[in-house]
Amino acid sequence: MSHQGYRLLYWLLPLAALALLTGLLVGSVQISPGEAWAVLNGQGDPLHQTLLLELRLPRVLAAFAVGGLLAIAGALMQLLLRNPLADPYVLGLSGGAATGALLALLSGAGAIWVSGSAFIGALVSTLLVFGLARLSGNWNPLRLLLTGVVLASGWGAMISFMLAVSPSRELPGMLYWLMGDLAYAQGFALPWFTLLLVLLILQPLGRSLNVLSRGSLQAASLGMAVPRVEGLIYLLAALMTAVAVTVAGSIGFVGLLVPHALRLLFGYDQRLLLPACALAGGSLLVLADTLARTLLAPQQLPVGVITALIGVPAFLWLLSRRAT
Amino acid sequence: MKSAPFLELKDLVMDIPNRTSGSPLNFQVHPGECWGVLGPNGVGKTTLLLTLAGLLNPRQGKPLLKGQAIQQWSARARARQLAVLFQQQQDAFPASVLETALTSRHPHLKVWQRETPEDWALARRSLLRLELQALEQRCVTTLSGGERQRLALACLLTQQAPLWLLDEPTNHLDLHHQVSALELVKQHVEAGGASLLAMHDVNLASRFCTHLLLLYPDGSACWGQKDQMLVLSALEKLYQQPLTRLEHQGHLLFFPRI
Amino acid sequence: MSLFWLKTLLLAWLLTFSSWSAADIQVTDAAGRSIHLEHPAERIISLAPHLTENLFTIGAGDRLVGTVSYSDYPEAALDIPRVGSYNQLDLEGILAKRPDLILAWQSGNPASQLQRLEDLGLKIFYSEPRNFADISREFLALGQLTEKNRQAEVAADKLDNGIKSLIESHADKSPLSVFYQIWEEPLMTINGEHLISEMLRTCQGRNIFAAAASLTPRIDRESLLEADPQVILGGSQGESNPKWLKNWQAFSELQAVQAGNLFAVNSSLVTRPTLRSLAGTQAICKHLDKAREQLSEAAD
């Protein structure tokens, strides 16, 4: 089983490469593979150089990293809450980030401030959920989930309030942020750094994570320091989600769908699942973003719309498969 | 001369929320002993096992594992000495039977260490012992109640701990597998291990256990060698139910008198 | 002999002029930034419908190589290739058109995308006309950028004079309280800083919600009933009796309804800061004149 799993994992590598290539070559302006090759050799048309290297490459790289972050965060949340239907936003993280970002947009602040406020909002939300859940003694997945759901509703109310009172001219920008959009992504260094850092930390812990999925009492009886491990998972998932949402807004379905679908292929072994999530999540988001850029070109769609359009039928199909 | 006790209780009082403290428990569990914990529902059998496993804090006193307070043991070292079979199995995730058995090797592996071929072999042997070898690749969520219970027992074997704490190990099992499970425990105990089993069936307990602990509904308790404990009046008081005592082929049987 | 001197003089004259036209163009935009072009813009991209329209007004519409959706006036604008929408730009498309000047809408276009274009070395002129004076200034600035100064001045003068004559002809008219509706569900209007309010002021109309804090506030019907405006105006696509107008008929306690002072104005004449704002103002003035008539009739 394990060897078969690794073989499948290796298939994901060329898939990821193909997705990246597609993202680079496809756009609202046609660039042939020959012209792209010329650019990579340093001899291409300056316009194509700008298009490929300054516009498409950073966006595609950002999309890949964000997709990977969301998928892994989703897998970790599903493990932490012992619930295959959890996603990275279930504990209200994206709500906090959205509130921060919308506040910055409302006050007319620049793009850096919007990202910074989003990140701070996500951290505040994380601490709030953690703190509130611990208020009445030991926290368990159910208490965490309930606290997170309530907090998410609270953020939702604040977001609705801001949307209601903001000048109508600000609304399109705010809505695109809420739907998730890679057009405003400021660079790819931060998400890539976070993604690699987290994978580095989690890969050796993979076997321990597998034990955790048997339940906290069972894991504790097998010698695991359950609160510490769960705390680490929560913090890592929160960090990844915060970075992803800061860069590209609340893109939905990737964090829910990718780990779920991959578990059908790879089983639940976190040592296979987490790197697979990184590769598959990244590929999916790159392809979705490419569609968002080109489906109605020159009209641009936010990538969150595409992930939802793909996500809903895909999820229904997955559910029907599980029933058998 | 008895060998050093695996487990020692000194004036131990369990912590059951909203209930007055019961009488303190004072006994020792030695290698080769199989203790049956008997009592009606809700009396605290599960709480006792979890307290002895170090997963719950007692209200008073401390359980001692091999002479050292259980809280002083590192979790992993403790897990190499003591294995727990819980009443309910939690399986939210569709892991395979073999993968689940493998997770019980956790106390013997470092955090970043992978399972060795020996670990795989051990897990497979445990599944074979519980007649689950044909279900190795099956998803645990598709198992019947009995199969899952046997898997839990296989996990216990894989953990390779000398002291077993089992909470209703015969749940969900048909008669044949009930007997097999208890034979397994008996073999383990005879090989130098020890175990405590919380049970409902006093007759099975009397066949397989060497010692009994009776937990009464009023909080009091008594314990000792099996023969001394199997007294009609004590058992009737325990279960609040008139019983009939029967001797047959050297075995004592108790059944309800209606 | 004199012909020779004439030709020389003419040549010198032409040379002087050509060196003038080779001189740098320097324009200040709505954001206060200085735009510097070495020669008049030849390949322009407009990121807002009003900018497209204004460019056509000064006769430089043929220089447009790309614009955003909803750029529908004049009709020739429909043929210009699209580069996204005003709030979601197609950066690749913009770059591929190799523009030498981009006309941006400061409050409408996404700042981060404009920043990307600037970082890639493109020249951006920010537009943000809030009143008639701004619109005239914009004509002149665009005229300088495209070297259509004469046509730009003509347009600016047409607007300035048109508005001036309207103000003069209405100076003695009795002021009217007006409610201008920009959206029905939810009920939204404009405050005093909006261009439409200036149009109303030109015709001696007083926006009852001029003091509202937000540029396009959402209000409740109660405050409207309390203010009881003499006239209700709203936008339409061209029809004279849009649905929202009919919906107000039910409120017979309003004096505007009693006097029949419910009027529709073609939206594109009043919501875009262009030369057609003059036509829009004229339409509003006509409606307000009619309203005064109907009110004095009702008083009799």
Side-chain angles (χ1 to χ4, degrees), chain B residues 44-232:
Chain B
K45 301 195 293 295
T46 303
T47 309
L48 177 65
L49 287 183
L50 292 181
T51 309
L52 295 180
L55 298 172
L56 282 179
N57 284 329
R59 212 173 270 181
Q60 188 189 311
K62 293 191 272 254
L64 297 172
L65 178 66
K66 288 202 169 164
Q68 190 184 0
I70 206 156
Q71 303 302 345
Q72 308 243 314
W73 284 79
S74 81
R76 297 162 61 78
R78 185 195 71 215
R80 287 196 286 269
Q81 301 296 326
L82 188 163
V84 183
L85 185 121
F86 294 90
Q87 211 177 90
Q88 311 281 17
Q89 307 300 325
Q90 270 186 301
D91 285 310
F93 284 99
S96 76
V97 164
L98 183 56
E99 283 173 330
T100 305
L102 261 178
T103 60
S104 289
R105 296 302 298 158
H106 183 74
H108 301 274
L109 295 165
K110 296 224 192 330
V111 173
W112 57 84
Q113 200 178 343
R114 310 179 62 84
E115 298 98 341
T116 64
E118 288 79 40
D119 294 317
W120 284 88
L122 184 61
R124 289 209 156 90
R125 278 204 303 274
S126 307
L127 289 179
L128 184 64
R129 180 72 180 72
L130 270 299
E131 296 170 24
L132 289 171
Q133 70 280 12
L135 302 175
E136 250 181 37
Q137 299 305 328
R138 276 273 290 275
C139 178
V140 294
T141 52
T142 63
L143 296 178
S144 70
E147 287 163 342
R148 205 175 299 195
Q149 189 75 353
R150 280 153 51 207
L151 172 59
L153 287 163
C155 291
L156 223 63
L157 270 182
T158 318
Q159 198 176 335
Q160 281 193 319
L163 177 63
W164 285 6
L165 302 174
L166 304 102
D167 199 350
E168 298 187 26
T170 53
N171 260 356
H172 308 298
L173 296 178
D174 60 33
L175 206 53
H176 163 72
H177 287 115
Q178 280 186 28
V179 171
S180 306
L182 291 173
E183 302 249 278
L184 179 70
V185 176
K186 191 167 165 204
Q187 280 168 16
H188 172 77
V189 164
E190 281 168 1
S195 59
L196 280 98
L197 300 84
M199 293 194 65
H200 271 305
D201 190 336
V202 59
N203 293 317
L204 276 178
S206 82
R207 295 283 285 278
F208 288 93
C209 295
T210 59
H211 293 68
L212 291 177
L213 165 67
L214 305 182
L215 294 176
Y216 291 97
D218 63 2
S220 60
C222 62
W223 52 85
Q225 296 213 322
K226 170 181 66 176
D227 298 320
Q228 294 165 351
M229 293 291 106
L230 289 175
V231 172
L232 183 64

Side-chain angles (χ1 to χ4, degrees), chain A residues 26-29 45 47 50-51 54-56 58 111 167-169 172 176 181 183-184 186 293 298-302, chain C residues 69 82-93 95-96 98 107 110 112-113 116 120 130 188 214-216:
Chain A
V26 176
S28 54
V29 173
D45 185 70
L47 171 67
T50 311
L51 280 179
E54 304 257 6
L55 281 188
R56 282 192 201 165
S168 42
R169 132 181 87 231
Y176 276 120
D181 198 345
Y184 308 129
Q186 307 263 322
R293 282 186 282 132
Q299 179 85 350
Q300 304 282 285
L301 291 172
Chain C
S69 47
R82 290 352 199 185
V83 288
S85 57
Y86 76 91
N87 60 345
Q88 193 74 323
L89 308 173
D90 178 9
L91 294 181
E92 282 187 23
L95 279 177
R98 301 176 203 264
S107 58
S112 55
Q113 290 195 306
R116 290 296 267 120
L120 291 169
R130 293 293 185 93
M188 290 177 73
S214 161
L215 191 66
T216 54

Side-chain angles (χ1 to χ4, degrees), chain C residues 19 30 56 84 86 97 102 116 122 133 144 162 174 183 185 193 212 224 226 231 255:
Chain C
S19 72
F56 272 97
Y86 76 91
K97 303 270 187 292
I102 297 181
R116 290 296 267 120
L122 294 174
Q144 272 189 285
S174 55
W183 201 261
E185 297 275 333
E193 291 179 35
L224 186 112
E226 194 183 17
V231 187
Q255 55 174 326

